[in-house]
Amino acid sequence: MAEFKVVLSDPKTGQSFKVDASGGAASYLIGKHVGDEVDASPVGVAGYRMKITGASDRNGTPAKQNLPFAGRRKLLLAGGVGFHPVMDGERKRKPIRGNEITADFVQINAKVTSYGEKPLEELFPKAAPAEKAA
């Protein structure tokens, strides 16, 4: 079964929250594409909508929004997602994933597009700091 770490960013506050999605929530995200706006209720954020902004697999290979396939390919890149050239005119062949979410992904990046009744800070309280051992 697929498991994802969904990193949900809040554009209003600039904070991001990590949500573990497994089981039904993970199967809900499989088949969606980078750039799709989806309901966030299956991942535990009731009343919210989120836009999938990116993803990466277990090797750290990023997904590119304008590639309409589900696998990994080596493409000649001149910049953008997956490659940042150092010199002018530099190009490099790099592995890139398509925009369709599959079970091979580990992390999915998303941002909130419409808000629910409760603020995200209430839904994801900060963990209490660990006490120092004396």
Side-chain angles (χ1 to χ4, degrees):
M1 193 78 201
E3 290 186 18
F4 301 125
K5 293 180 183 117
V6 179
V7 178
L8 186 61
S9 298
D10 185 0
K12 284 184 181 177
T13 63
Q15 291 182 318
S16 59
F17 304 92
K18 187 183 96 168
V19 182
D20 292 324
S22 61
S27 62
Y28 170 75
L29 292 170
I30 291 178
K32 304 290 190 263
H33 296 87
V34 174
D36 286 354
E37 187 173 333
V38 296
D39 186 25
S41 296
V43 294
V45 191
Y48 283 76
R49 289 191 62 79
M50 64 183 184
K51 180 179 180 180
I52 300 173
T53 57
S56 59
D57 67 2
R58 66 188 180 282
N59 296 328
T61 305
K64 198 163 181 158
Q65 183 175 356
N66 60 354
L67 299 176
F69 56 87
R72 186 185 336 189
R73 306 258 164 61
K74 282 193 167 189
L75 300 176
L76 187 63
L77 301 176
V81 174
F83 177 61
H84 303 286
V86 177
M87 299 178 292
D88 286 341
E90 183 180 7
R91 300 185 308 169
K92 195 168 187 178
R93 193 166 300 278
K94 300 287 285 184
I96 296 290
R97 284 207 162 268
N99 66 357
E100 186 177 335
I101 304 295
T102 62
D104 297 329
F105 283 97
V106 172
Q107 177 178 327
I108 298 173
N109 304 324
K111 71 176 183 178
V112 175
T113 55
S114 67
Y115 293 84
E117 295 177 8
K118 287 187 175 182
L120 288 172
E121 290 81 16
E122 283 184 26
L123 296 173
F124 303 107
K126 286 188 176 182
E131 293 182 24
K132 292 184 179 181

